[in-house]
C-alpha cells in the first residue's frame, strides 16, 4: 500500500515547452548532417597495426591460424563457394599449389555445377603454367557441363594461344557435336579463317545452315562465298536457300540479298526475275522491303516500262489483300480487273475474272446482286472486244443467265446484251430465242421494249404487233405501251387499228398515266383532222375529270379549229367551265381558268367582254389559320392567301365589309396627309384659283 502510494507520488518529468515555434532561419537537412559527418571523418576507424613475421616458426603459426579460420568457415557452411575460393586463392598466394588443388577438388565434390569454381580452378593452373593440369580440368568441365559455352570458349582459346591448332580444332569438333548456339559456329568458322582454311570453313557453313536453318544464316553463308570471290558458289547457295524454304516459308530478306548479289554481278535481268518471282508469292504486308528495293533498282537501272511494272505490281498486291479480306467487295474486284486488263495477258485477266465471279452473293435479293452482275457484263465485253473470242463470250453470257435466280428476280440488261451480241455475230435466231426465253421466264417492261425495238430495226412489223399484244396482256395498265403500239399502227398507215387500240386503252379500268394516254389520243385525232371525234373525246374526258387543264385545252382546241364560230364556241366552253368549277375547292385552278379566259378575251373579245371577265376575277385576301403539329398539339398560326370570287353568293357580305374597310382606310390616310402638310394644300388651292 505504501509502495503504491510512493509510486503514485512519483512525478513524471515535464517536457520542456517550445516557446518560439517559428522555423529557424537556417534549415538543416539529414543529407547535410551525413555530409558533415563524412567530411569530419567521425566514423573512420584507424587501420589495424601491421604485423611483421620475423622467423619461420612465427610464419607456421600464422599459416596454422589462417588455415584453421578457413576450415572453420567451411565447416560452418560448406555450400558457400566463395569461402572455398578464398581459401584456395590464399594457398595459391603462398605457392602451395598442391594444397590449392586439393581445396578446389574438395569444393567440386560439394558443388560441381558451379561455373565460377571451374573457371577459377583452370585459371590457377594456367597462371602457374600447368598446361596438362589445365587441359585435364577443361576436359572434365566440358564433359560434366557441356552446355556451358564459356568452358568451350576458354578451352579453345587456351589451345590456340599455345599454338595447338589441331587440338583447338578437335575441341571445336567436340563442341559442334552438341549443336550449340549460332555464335559458337561463327567462332569455329572465324578460327578456320584465321588460318586461311576456306574449304574447312565452307564445310562448317554447310553443317551450320542445316543445324540453324534461319534465313540470315543462309545469307551469311552466301556472303562468305561472295567475299572470297566464289561467285558461282554464292549463287548456288542462294538458289539452294530459295529451294530449301519453298513457297510456304518465303522471306523477303533472302530475296533482297539474292537480288543485291546479282546486282553487284551486273546481272540486271536476273535481278528483275528474282524480284518479280518473290513479289508474286509473298503477301503485301510481308513484302514492304522487297517493294522498296525493287523500286530503287528500277529507278537506277530500269526504263520507264520497268518502273510502271513495279507500280502496277504494288497496286496488284494491294487489291489482292483487299479481295482476300472481303471476297464480296465487288468494287475492289472492279478496280483490280481494270488494273489487270490494262497490263496483263488474257489468261491472267480470265483467271482474275473467274475468281471474281466465283463470289456469288449469299442472299438472293436483287440489291445484293446489282454490283455483282456487272462482273459478268464486263467479263463478256472483255472477251468480245479485247480477246476477240465470240465463243467464250457466248459461254459467259449463258453461264450468267443460268446463274441468275429468274424466279425471284432477273436482269433485263443481261438478256438484252446477250441478244445484241448474237446480232453482232449475225445469229438472229439465237437472239430471238434468248429474248423469247426471257419473256417466257421473267417478263419485264425492259425486255418487251428491247425485243420490240430489235424487231422494229429489222422491220418485222408483224412480230412487233404480236409482241405488243403480249406486252399489253402482261401490263394492260402501261399507257406508254398503248401509245407506242398505236403510233406504230399510225406509221404503218392503219388508222382504224390505231383508233381501235386507243379506244381499247381508254376503256381499261386501271392506267398508270391516263392523262398522257388521253392527250396522245386527242393529238392523234387532231392530226387526222377529225374535229367531231376530238370534240367527243374531250366530252368523254370531261365526264371522267373536271381538271382545269382539260377545259383550257378544250377551249384552245375550239379556237384553233379555224372554222366559223370558233371564237364563240371557245367563249362558251370558258363559260361552261366557269359554271362547272364554281363548286371546286381548288380556287387556284379556278383562278387559272379565269386568267386563261382573260387572255383569250384580251386577244379576241370586245371591251364589254373584257370587263365581264374582270368582274369575275377574285380578290386576294391574306388570312390566318391555326397550325397543328404531328402529335396534334397547337403549333401557332400561319398566314396564307385566299381568293374571294364575286360570283360566290356566300361571300357577298364579306366582300361588302371588305370594300367598306378599304374605303375607311383610304379616308384615314388622306386625312393624315392633310394634317401633316396644310401649306401644301393652300398652295395647291391658290394655284388652282389662279388658273
Amino acid at each position: 500500500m505504501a509502495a503504491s502510494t510512493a509510486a503514485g507520488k512519483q512525478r513524471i518529468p515535464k517536457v520542456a515547452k517550445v516557446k518560439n515555434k517559428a522555423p529557424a532561419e537556417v534549415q538543416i537537412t539529414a543529407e547535410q548532417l551525413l555530409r558533415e559527418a563524412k567530411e569530419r571523418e567521425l566514423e573512420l576507424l584507424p587501420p589495424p597495426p601491421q604485423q611483421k613475421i620475423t622467423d619461420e616458426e612465427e610464419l607456421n603459426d600464422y599459416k596454422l591460424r589462417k588455415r584453421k579460420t578457413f576450415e572453420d568457415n567451411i565447416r560452418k557452411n560448406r555450400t558457400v563457394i566463395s569461402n572455398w575460393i578464398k581459401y584456395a586463392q590464399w594457398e595459391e598466394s603462398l605457392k602451395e599449389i598442391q594444397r590449392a588443388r586439393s581445396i578446389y577438388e574438395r569444393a567440386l565434390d560439394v558443388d560441381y555445377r558451379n561455373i565460377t569454381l571451374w573457371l577459377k580452378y583452370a585459371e590457377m593452373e594456367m597462371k602457374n603454367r600447368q598446361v596438362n593440369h589445365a587441359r585435364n580440368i577443361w576436359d572434365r568441365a566440358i564433359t560434366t557441363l557441356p552446355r556451358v559455352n564459356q568452358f568451350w570458349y576458354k578451352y579453345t582459346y587456351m589451345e590456340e594461344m599455345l599454338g595447338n591448332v589441331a587440338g583447338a580444332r578437335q575441341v571445336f569438333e567436340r563442341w559442334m557435336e552438341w549443336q550449340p548456339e549460332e555464335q559458337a559456329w561463327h567462332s569455329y568458322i572465324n578460327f578456320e579463317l584465321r588460318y586461311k582454311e576456306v574449304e574447312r570453313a565452307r564445310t562448317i557453313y554447310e553443317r551450320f545452315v542445316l543445324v540453324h536453318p534461319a534465313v540470315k544464316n543462309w545469307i551469311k553463308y552466301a556472303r562468305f562465298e561472295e567475299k572470297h570471290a566464289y561467285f558461282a558458289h554464292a549463287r548456288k547457295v542462294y538458289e539452294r536457300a530459295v529451294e530449301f524454304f519453298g513457297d510456304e516459308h518465303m522471306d523477303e530478306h533472302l530475296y533482297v540479298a539474292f537480288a543485291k548479289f546479282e546486282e553487284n554481278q551486273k546481272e540486271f535481268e536476273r535481278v528483275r526475275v528474282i524480284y518479280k518471282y518473290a513479289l508474286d508469292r509473298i503477301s503485301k504486308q510481308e513484302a514492304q522491303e522487297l517493294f522498296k528495293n525493287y523500286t530503287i533498282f528500277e529507278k537506277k537501272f530500269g526504263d520507264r516500262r520497268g518502273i510502271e511494272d513495279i507500280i502496277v505490281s504494288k497496286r496488284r498486291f494491294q487489291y489482292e489483300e483487299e479481295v482476300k479480306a472481303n471476297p464480296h467487295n465487288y468494287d475492289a474486284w472492279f478496280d483490280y480487273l481494270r488494273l489487270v486488263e490494262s497490263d496483263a495477258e488474257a489468261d491472267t485477266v480470265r483467271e482474275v475474272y473467274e475468281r471474281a465471279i466465283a463470289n456469288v452473293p449469299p442472299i438472293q435479293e436483287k440489291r445484293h446482286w446489282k454490283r455483282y452482275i456487272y462482273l459478268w457484263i464486263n467479263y463478256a465485253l472483255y472477251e468480245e472486244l479485247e480477246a476477240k473470242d465470240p465463243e467464250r463470250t457466248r459461254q459467259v453470257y449463258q453461264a450468267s443467265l443460268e446463274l441468275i435466280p429468274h424466279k425471284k428476280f432477273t436482269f433485263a440488261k443481261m438478256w438484252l446484251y446477250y441478244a445484241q451480241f448474237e446480232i453482232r455475230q449475225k445469229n438472229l435466231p439465237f437472239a430471238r430465242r434468248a429474248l423469247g426465253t426471257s419473256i417466257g421466264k421473267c417478263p419485264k417492261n425492259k425486255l418487251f421494249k428491247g425485243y420490240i425495238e430489235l424487231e422494229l430495226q429489222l422491220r418485222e412489223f408483224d412480230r412487233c404487233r404480236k409482241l405488243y399484244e403480249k406486252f399489253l396482256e402482261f401490263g394492260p395498265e402501261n399507257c406508254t405501251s398503248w401509245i407506242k403500239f398505236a403510233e406504230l399502227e399510225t406509221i404503218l398507215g392503219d388508222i382504224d387499228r390505231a383508233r381501235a387500240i386507243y379506244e381499247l386503252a381508254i376503256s381499261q379500268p386501271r392506267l398508270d398515266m391516263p392523262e398522257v394516254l388521253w392527250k396522245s389520243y386527242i393529238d392523234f385525232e387532231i392530226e387526222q383532222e377529225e374535229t367531231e371525234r376530238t370534240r367527243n373525246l374531250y366530252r368523254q374526258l370531261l365526264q371522267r375529270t373536271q381538271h382545269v387543264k382539260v377545259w383550257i385545252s378544250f377551249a384552245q382546241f375550239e379556237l384553233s379549229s379555224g372554222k366559223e364560230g370558233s371564237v364563240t364556241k371557245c367563249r362558251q366552253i370558258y363559260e361552261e367551265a366557269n359554271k362547272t368549277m364554281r363548286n371546286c375547292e381548288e380556287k387556284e385552278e379556278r383562278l387559272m381558268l379565269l386568267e386563261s379566259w382573260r387572255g383569250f378575251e384580251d386577244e379576241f373579245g370586245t371591251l364589254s367582254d373584257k370587263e365581264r371577265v374582270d368582274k369575275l376575277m377574285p380578290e386576294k385576301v391574306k388570312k390566318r389559320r391555326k397550325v397543328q403539329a404531328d402529335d396534334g398539339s397547337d403549333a401557332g398560326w400561319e398566314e396564307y392567301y385566299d381568293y374571294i370570287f364575286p360570283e360566290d353568293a356566300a361571300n357577298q357580305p364579306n366582300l361588302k365589309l371588305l370594300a367598306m374597310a378599304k374605303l375607311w382606310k383610304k379616308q384615314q390616310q388622306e386625312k393624315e396627309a392633310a394634317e401633316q402638310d396644310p401649306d401644301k394644300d393652300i398652295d395647291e388651292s391658290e394655284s388652282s384659283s389662279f388658273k
Side-chain angles (χ1 to χ4, degrees):
M1 192 67 181
S4 62
T5 307
K9 288 181 179 179
Q10 187 178 1
R11 291 183 178 179
I12 299 169
K14 291 183 178 180
V15 180
K17 290 184 179 180
V18 179
K19 294 180 179 179
N20 185 7
K21 294 184 179 181
E25 293 182 1
V26 180
Q27 296 290 316
I28 300 174
T29 62
E31 184 182 356
Q32 287 173 322
L33 292 172
L34 291 171
R35 190 166 60 246
E36 286 178 7
K38 177 70 176 170
E39 288 171 357
R40 295 178 186 178
E41 297 182 350
L42 298 175
E43 296 180 3
L44 289 179
L45 297 173
Q50 289 185 354
Q51 292 181 346
K52 290 186 179 180
I53 298 171
T54 55
D55 58 359
E56 187 177 352
E57 187 178 352
E58 194 174 350
L59 176 62
N60 290 333
D61 288 340
Y62 167 71
K63 287 180 180 178
L64 184 63
R65 285 197 311 273
K66 287 292 285 184
R67 283 180 183 135
K68 188 174 183 301
T69 305
F70 279 122
E71 290 290 346
D72 289 342
N73 287 338
I74 290 167
R75 200 180 302 114
K76 287 176 187 175
N77 196 346
R78 291 169 58 85
T79 58
V80 178
I81 301 300
S82 60
N83 291 337
W84 293 96
I85 293 172
K86 286 175 185 177
Y87 190 7
Q89 286 176 340
W90 181 77
E91 293 288 0
E92 183 189 355
S93 67
L94 297 175
K95 304 299 181 183
E96 296 281 354
I97 304 301
Q98 195 60 39
R99 280 180 174 275
R101 228 175 251 143
S102 173
I103 293 164
Y104 275 123
E105 290 295 338
R106 287 167 59 196
L108 288 172
D109 288 339
V110 174
D111 185 8
Y112 70 92
R113 292 178 179 275
N114 193 295
I115 298 169
T116 308
L117 197 58
W118 287 102
L119 293 173
K120 294 289 184 183
Y121 192 5
E123 189 180 332
M124 181 197 75
E125 297 291 4
M126 288 190 292
K127 274 183 189 176
N128 292 284
R129 301 178 183 278
Q130 300 293 324
V131 176
N132 288 329
H133 278 284
R135 281 194 184 116
N136 183 22
I137 292 163
W138 288 128
D139 275 327
R140 288 166 61 196
I142 62 177
T143 305
T144 310
L145 300 169
R147 291 297 179 190
V148 179
N149 293 330
Q150 202 170 357
F151 294 161
W152 296 98
Y153 285 123
K154 294 272 188 181
Y155 194 4
T156 54
Y157 180 69
M158 184 191 80
E159 294 291 359
E160 191 175 358
M161 289 294 103
L162 293 170
N164 185 10
V165 177
R169 186 176 290 120
Q170 190 177 359
V171 174
F172 269 120
E173 284 295 331
R174 286 174 62 189
W175 191 7
M176 295 306 111
E177 288 176 3
W178 288 96
Q179 297 185 354
E181 61 186 17
E182 295 175 8
Q183 188 56 44
W185 291 89
H186 292 313
S187 299
Y188 190 10
I189 291 165
N190 293 332
F191 164 77
E192 294 292 0
L193 290 176
R194 281 197 292 273
Y195 298 98
K196 313 298 182 187
E197 295 285 350
V198 178
E199 194 59 40
R200 286 181 179 274
R202 183 179 292 121
T203 308
I204 297 164
Y205 260 121
E206 287 289 340
R207 292 159 59 193
F208 174 44
V209 294
L210 295 177
V211 174
H212 295 284
V215 170
K216 61 179 181 178
N217 296 332
W218 283 94
I219 294 172
K220 286 177 183 176
Y221 183 14
R223 284 176 180 167
F224 156 78
E225 297 286 5
E226 185 182 0
K227 183 180 177 181
H228 292 88
Y230 292 100
F231 301 118
H233 281 85
R235 184 174 289 120
K236 194 174 290 183
V237 170
Y238 277 121
E239 290 171 356
R240 283 174 56 200
V242 170
E243 186 180 350
F244 177 81
F245 289 104
D247 292 344
E248 295 180 358
H249 304 284
M250 296 182 75
D251 191 290
E252 63 172 345
H253 300 291
L254 175 62
Y255 291 94
V256 169
F258 193 4
K260 285 184 177 178
F261 164 75
E262 295 292 357
E263 186 180 330
N264 294 335
Q265 306 309 311
K266 311 297 182 186
E267 296 282 351
F268 300 130
E269 282 304 316
R270 289 178 68 90
V271 176
R272 198 169 280 113
V273 169
I274 290 165
Y275 276 126
K276 287 183 178 179
Y277 176 84
L279 289 171
D280 288 340
R281 286 164 176 80
I282 301 177
S283 63
K284 174 180 172 288
Q285 283 84 0
E286 299 172 358
Q288 297 295 331
E289 193 69 23
L290 201 63
F291 270 122
K292 182 180 174 183
N293 283 280
Y294 187 20
T295 309
I296 294 169
F297 166 76
E298 287 292 354
K299 286 179 180 178
K300 284 164 65 177
F301 304 106
D303 53 4
R304 181 177 177 181
R305 176 66 180 171
I307 296 170
E308 287 178 356
D309 285 345
I310 188 173
I311 293 169
V312 168
S313 179
K314 190 171 183 180
R315 286 174 60 198
R316 185 181 299 170
F317 266 94
Q318 292 174 351
Y319 290 135
E320 280 288 349
E321 293 302 317
E322 284 187 33
V323 298
K324 277 182 185 175
N326 183 9
H328 293 96
N329 183 3
Y330 299 121
D331 290 326
W333 281 111
F334 287 130
D335 295 337
Y336 189 10
L337 287 163
R338 201 176 299 118
L339 173 70
V340 172
E341 282 182 29
S342 65
D343 195 62
E345 297 178 356
D347 292 337
T348 308
V349 177
R350 285 186 183 122
E351 181 189 352
V352 178
Y353 265 118
E354 292 293 337
R355 286 171 54 201
I357 61 178
N359 298 298
V360 182
I363 303 171
Q364 289 190 352
E365 292 182 13
K366 190 166 184 177
R367 59 192 178 91
H368 295 291
W369 284 65
K370 282 184 176 179
R371 297 292 292 159
Y372 170 71
I373 205 66
Y374 277 99
L375 289 173
W376 286 97
I377 293 172
N378 291 350
Y379 190 8
L381 293 175
Y382 171 78
E383 290 290 355
E384 182 184 1
L385 303 176
E386 301 294 332
K388 310 290 185 184
D389 192 339
E391 191 55 40
R392 284 188 67 89
T393 308
R394 186 174 291 110
Q395 290 173 5
V396 170
Y397 275 121
Q398 290 173 353
S400 66
L401 291 171
E402 287 175 7
L403 182 67
I404 298 169
H406 299 294
K407 290 184 179 179
K408 294 188 176 180
F409 58 85
T410 191
F411 289 94
K413 63 173 74 68
M414 207 68 201
W415 293 100
L416 295 173
Y417 285 157
Y418 179 33
Q420 289 164 7
F421 159 73
E422 292 293 1
I423 289 168
R424 287 193 293 272
Q425 301 303 315
K426 299 180 181 178
N427 289 330
L428 184 58
F430 278 54
R432 281 179 174 151
R433 188 188 306 164
L435 290 173
T437 305
S438 70
I439 289 171
K441 278 187 175 180
C442 43
K444 283 185 73 175
N445 290 349
K446 283 185 181 178
L447 288 172
F448 279 109
K449 289 175 183 176
Y451 198 176
I452 290 166
E453 185 68 27
L454 168 66
E455 296 295 355
L456 277 174
Q457 290 173 358
L458 297 171
R459 299 296 186 265
E460 293 285 350
F461 300 117
D462 289 335
R463 286 181 174 274
C464 289
R465 284 184 176 127
K466 289 178 182 176
L467 285 171
Y468 268 122
E469 289 172 6
K470 292 285 185 185
F471 192 5
L472 294 170
E473 285 178 14
F474 167 68
E477 71 282 351
N478 192 336
C479 292
T480 309
S481 307
W482 289 103
I483 293 167
K484 293 286 184 184
F485 192 8
E487 286 176 354
L488 172 65
E489 296 294 352
T490 307
I491 291 167
L492 295 175
D494 200 337
I495 305 302
D496 293 335
R497 282 181 66 92
R499 187 174 287 121
I501 290 165
Y502 275 123
E503 286 293 337
L504 194 58
I506 62 174
S507 64
Q508 295 299 317
R510 192 164 62 89
L511 294 168
D512 55 357
M513 293 185 294
E515 66 280 359
V516 178
L517 179 64
W518 279 95
K519 185 178 184 307
S520 177
Y521 191 6
I522 290 167
D523 291 343
F524 164 75
E525 294 292 2
I526 291 171
E527 285 178 10
Q528 303 305 319
E529 298 181 357
E530 295 284 348
T531 309
E532 195 58 39
R533 285 181 178 276
T534 309
R535 192 175 289 120
N536 292 336
L537 277 177
Y538 271 117
R539 290 298 177 186
Q540 287 182 42
L541 181 57
L542 288 171
Q543 288 175 4
R544 301 191 179 199
T545 178
Q546 294 291 328
H547 200 277
V548 64
K549 289 185 178 180
V550 178
W551 285 107
I552 294 171
S553 176
F554 190 11
Q556 289 173 352
F557 159 71
E558 291 291 359
L559 183 63
S560 62
S561 62
K563 296 182 180 180
E564 292 183 7
S566 58
V567 175
T568 308
K569 286 183 178 180
C570 180
R571 187 177 290 114
Q572 288 174 356
I573 289 168
Y574 274 123
E575 290 173 356
E576 184 181 351
N578 186 40
K579 288 178 183 177
T580 307
M581 296 189 72
R582 280 181 185 174
N583 299 323
C584 178
E585 294 181 0
E586 295 295 331
K587 295 185 178 182
E588 286 81 1
E589 291 187 4
R590 191 174 172 188
L591 176 63
M592 193 190 304
L593 177 71
L594 289 172
E595 286 175 347
S596 175
W597 189 3
R598 184 167 62 183
F600 161 73
E601 295 293 358
D602 287 343
E603 188 174 354
F604 300 102
T606 60
L607 186 61
S608 60
D609 292 330
K610 291 179 187 178
E611 290 177 355
R612 179 187 170 200
V613 176
D614 286 337
K615 288 179 181 179
L616 296 174
M617 295 302 289
E619 198 71 39
K620 191 175 181 180
V621 181
K622 187 188 288 186
K623 291 186 177 181
R624 294 173 66 200
R625 61 186 170 198
K626 274 190 177 182
V627 180
Q628 284 191 338
D630 293 337
D631 56 358
S633 60
D634 289 338
W637 294 79
E638 71 170 1
E639 291 185 347
Y640 71 99
Y641 286 100
D642 193 12
Y643 296 98
I644 300 172
F645 291 88
E647 289 181 327
D648 198 344
N651 289 331
Q652 286 298 330
N654 293 340
L655 278 173
K656 194 172 182 181
L657 181 63
L658 186 64
M660 291 171 64
K662 282 187 176 180
L663 181 62
W664 177 81
K665 187 175 182 181
K666 188 177 180 182
Q667 290 174 354
Q668 289 293 324
Q669 288 175 349
E670 290 176 354
K671 187 176 180 182
E672 288 175 1
E675 289 175 356
Q676 287 176 2
D677 199 359
D679 296 335
K680 186 177 179 181
D681 294 342
I682 295 167
D683 293 341
E684 286 178 358
S685 62
E686 286 178 356
S687 62
S688 61
S689 62
F690 177 76
K691 288 176 183 176

